[in-house]
Amino acid sequence: MRQKAAAPNRAFKVADQIQRDLTELIARELKDPRVGMVTIQGVEVTPDYAHAKVFFSLLAGDVKACTEGLNQAAGFLRAGLFKRLHIHTVPTLHFVFDQTPERAADMNALIARAVASRAKDD
């Protein structure tokens, strides 16, 4: 029964390590001009470690071009992970733009407008 609980914990540890290593690899070794200031928001690994969905946000630049650049560099980044990670299977990387920070900013703006209009009414 304990082994079932250990498997998800290991997946979280692997995903966390992939996130840390990818952040370093992208910042130091990736030379693609389309990839600007990228922040890795999170990594989801499939149970068999065959695929990893990497969520990223972009400080400035074109989202579509950055996504293309990251997905084209996925093989290079995977090779870099292979050298750093000590697991049998290094997952295939799939980069997805994470819109959560932008949605949060939009929600904050809506809340601020609602509070301001309510203050005017009172």
Side-chain angles (χ1 to χ4, degrees):
M1 198 118 148
R2 273 201 170 308
Q3 290 177 341
K4 293 223 183 233
N9 191 24
R10 182 169 189 265
F12 289 128
K13 287 181 181 180
V14 169
D16 187 48
Q17 187 63 45
I18 288 172
Q19 181 176 351
R20 280 188 259 129
D21 288 343
L22 275 178
T23 300
E24 191 173 317
L25 283 169
I26 290 170
R28 294 186 181 173
E29 297 184 23
L30 192 60
K31 305 292 187 223
D32 193 331
R34 297 175 292 179
V35 179
M37 297 186 74
V38 171
T39 303
I40 304 297
Q41 299 289 342
V43 177
E44 290 179 0
V45 181
T46 58
D48 61 353
Y49 301 107
H51 299 276
K53 194 180 290 188
V54 181
F55 297 95
F56 72 95
S57 64
L58 187 61
L59 187 60
D62 183 26
V63 173
K64 186 176 179 183
C66 184
T67 305
E68 287 175 7
L70 286 170
N71 280 316
Q72 285 182 354
F76 170 77
L77 295 170
R78 184 175 186 231
L81 285 175
F82 187 75
K83 294 175 187 174
R84 294 169 179 240
L85 295 175
H86 301 290
I87 59 175
H88 181 66
T89 304
V90 176
T92 303
L93 304 173
H94 307 280
F95 289 90
V96 178
F97 180 67
D98 186 14
Q99 296 178 343
T100 304
E102 291 158 352
R103 288 183 183 160
D106 291 343
M107 291 300 285
N108 283 337
L110 285 172
I111 292 169
R113 262 190 263 145
V115 168
S117 68
R118 191 171 198 176
K120 284 181 185 179
D121 292 343
D122 291 345

